[in-house]
Amino acid sequence: VTVETPGQEHGRADLADWRRESLGGGLESDEFFVRLLRAHLGEELEELRPHLRRVAELSSGRLAGLVDESSRDEHLPALRCHDPLGRPTEEVVFHPAYHEAGLIFWGSGVLAELAEPGHEVRSGAIAYLLDRHGEGGHACPVACTAGAIKLIQRLGSDEQRQRYLPSLLTRDYDSRLHAAQFVTEVQGGSDVGANACTAEEEPGRPGWFRISGEKWFCSVADAGLFVVSARPRGAPAGTPGLGLFLVPRLLDGRPNGFRLRRLKRKLGTRSMATGEIDFDGALGEAIGAPGQGFRNLVGIVLDTSRVHNALAACGIMRGAFLAARSFALYRRAFGRPIIGYPAVQELLARMRMRTMASLAATFRVLTMSDRLARSESDSTLAGARRIAVMLNKYATSMASTASARDGIEVLGGNGTIEDFSPLPRLYRDAIVVESWEGTHNTLCAQVIRDFAGRGLHRPMLAALADEIAALRHPALVSAAARARAMHADLEARLRRALDAGDEAATVAMRTLADRACRLTEWVALATQREWELAHGEDTDTGTALELYGLAVLDNADAQDTPALAELQRRLALAP
Ligand SMILES: Cc1cc2nc3c(=O)[nH]c(=O)nc-3n(C[C@H](O)[C@H](O)[C@H](O)COP(=O)(O)OP(=O)(O)OC[C@H]3O[C@@H](n4cnc5c(N)ncnc54)[C@H](O)[C@@H]3O)c2cc1C
C-alpha cells in the first residue's frame, strides 16, 4: 500500500477538482458567446436558447467522454474490405463510442437548421458548441455534408433535391446520408487544376458519368455520398475543364466502382476516417454546369467547409481555454494557485482574447451569409463575404494552434499527456485544421487573385468601412480612429501591391492578408463592444479590445507598457 504524503494528497485532490471543472459548464458560462449571439440573433435567441443549453450540456458532459474514447489508439476506425463470403464491402468500422457521438452531433440539428435559408448563425452556434472537443470525429463529416447540402440546394435539379436533401438534412444519425468531398490527388492538393481523375459519359444516360482515377485524401471515407472533382473526356486542362459529380457510395447495395486502398494514419482528426480511394468506373451524376466545377467547388463546397473550419478552430480555442484556465485555478506551485502568476495570466488572457476575436470575426461571416440568403442580389456583400471566408479560415486556424499550444504550456508536463486532458488532441486537430480546406498560402493566393482579377478588395474595404462608420459610442472613439487608420493603410498598400503587378502582389500576399485579418478582427470586436455598450452591458469585451490593441496591433512589451499586465490579469481572472 502506498501511503501518500499530505502534499501528494493535496496535489491529487486539486487535480481531481480541476478535472470536474475543466470541461466548462453550460451555455451561460460562455458569456461572450451568449452576448455575441444576442447581438447577431436578437429576439430569435430566446427561442433557440433552450436548445443551445441542451447542446452545451451534452457537449460538456456525455460528448466529451465519447470523443476521448473514440480517439484512443485502440479504438480508431478500421477498414473491412470484404464480407464473410469474400464479396467487396469497402466498409469502415468504428468504435461504438464514435456512433454515440454521431447521435449527438446529428441530433443537435446542426445540419437540419440548413433546411431553412438564412439559418447560418443558428447552425454555426450549434457547431461551435460541439466543436469544443476539436474535430471530434464528426465535425468534418458535418462540414462536408453541409457543403453537399448547399451544392444541391443551389445547383441541383428538382429530382436531385428530392432524392438527396431529406436524408442529408435529417437529425436522425442512423438513417442519415452523410457526404464527403474528394478533390486532392497525389500530385497536389493546392493545384486542383492538375486533377487527373476522368469522367466518361455513360451511354444512354444523359448527365451520368463513369469516374476513374485515384483520390489521395478522402476524409469521411465511410460517407454515403461523395462529391468528386474529375475531368470529362475532351475538357480543357487546368481548372476550367473540371466538373463536379455526385457519386453514391453504393449501387444496388454494392460498392459503386471504388476501392478503399487504405486508411491514413494521421497526426490529428484521428477518429474520423481518411482514406486513399481508387475509382474505376464509379457511376456519378454531374452537378452544376459543365466547366463550372472548379468555380462551384470553391464558391460553394469549400466556401462552406471553410466556415465550418473556422467554427472548429473557435471550438478548439474555447476547449483549450477551459482546460487551461480551470487548471490554473486549482494547480498550486510554490504555495499558490498558478493563476496568480502574471506570466500564466498572460497566456490565459491571450487565449481568451484570441477566442473572442475569432468568434466575433466568424459570426460576422455567418451573419453576412444570412443577410445574403435574404437578399441574394447584393454583389458587394457577396464579394466581401467571399474574401472574409478565406481570410477568416486562415486567421482562426492559426489562432487555434497558438491557443492549444499555450494551453499545453499552462498545464506543464501534464499538458503533454494524452489521457490527462484533451489538449494534446486539440493541438493535433488544430494543425490539421490549418492545412485542409486550403493551406494558408493557397488561401492568401486566392484572395490576391480575387483582388487583382475581380476587384474584390473593393467590397471587402467597403464592408469594413461601413462597420467602422457604425462605431459611434463615445467609449469607442479611439478604437474607431484606429480602425480608420488601419483601413486607410491597408487600402494604400493593396493599391501599391496590385499596381506593381502579379509577382509583387504575390510576394506581399501573406503580410497583406495578416493586415486585413487584424483589421477585421479589430472591427468585429469593436462592433460587438458597440452593441454591448448600447445595451448597457459592462463586460470584458472592452478589456479584450484594449488587450488586442496593445498585444496584437502594437506588439507591446510588458516592461514598456505596464497597462498590459493589468489587462491580462483582468481578462485571465474574469469569470
Ligand atoms: C487529415 C487531412 C484530411 C484531408 N481530407 C481531404 C478530403 O477529404 N478531401 C480532399 O480533397 N482533400 C483532403 N485533404 C487534403 C488537403 O486539402 C490538402 O492537403 C491541402 O489542400 C494541401 O494540398 P497538399 O497536401 O497536396 O499540399 P501541396 O499543394 O503540395 O502544398 C505544399 C505546400 O506548398 C504550398 N503551396 C502550394 N502552392 C503554392 C503557391 N502557389 N504559392 C505558395 N505556396 C504554395 C502550400 O501552401 C503548402 O505549404 C486532407 C488533408 C488532411 C491533412
Side-chain angles (χ1 to χ4, degrees), residues 397-419:
S397 65
M398 282 192 296
S400 72
T401 304
S403 273
R405 199 216 71 91
D406 284 350
I408 289 173
E409 183 178 342
V410 172
L411 266 68
N414 288 312
T416 69
I417 302 304
E418 289 288 340
D419 56 2

Side-chain angles (χ1 to χ4, degrees), residues 181-184 188-190 217-219 266 432 435-436 439 441:
Q181 52 199 46
F182 303 155
V183 178
T184 306
S190 309
F217 269 103
C218 301
S219 291
K266 296 176 284 179
V432 174
S435 68
W436 64 13
T439 63
N441 286 349

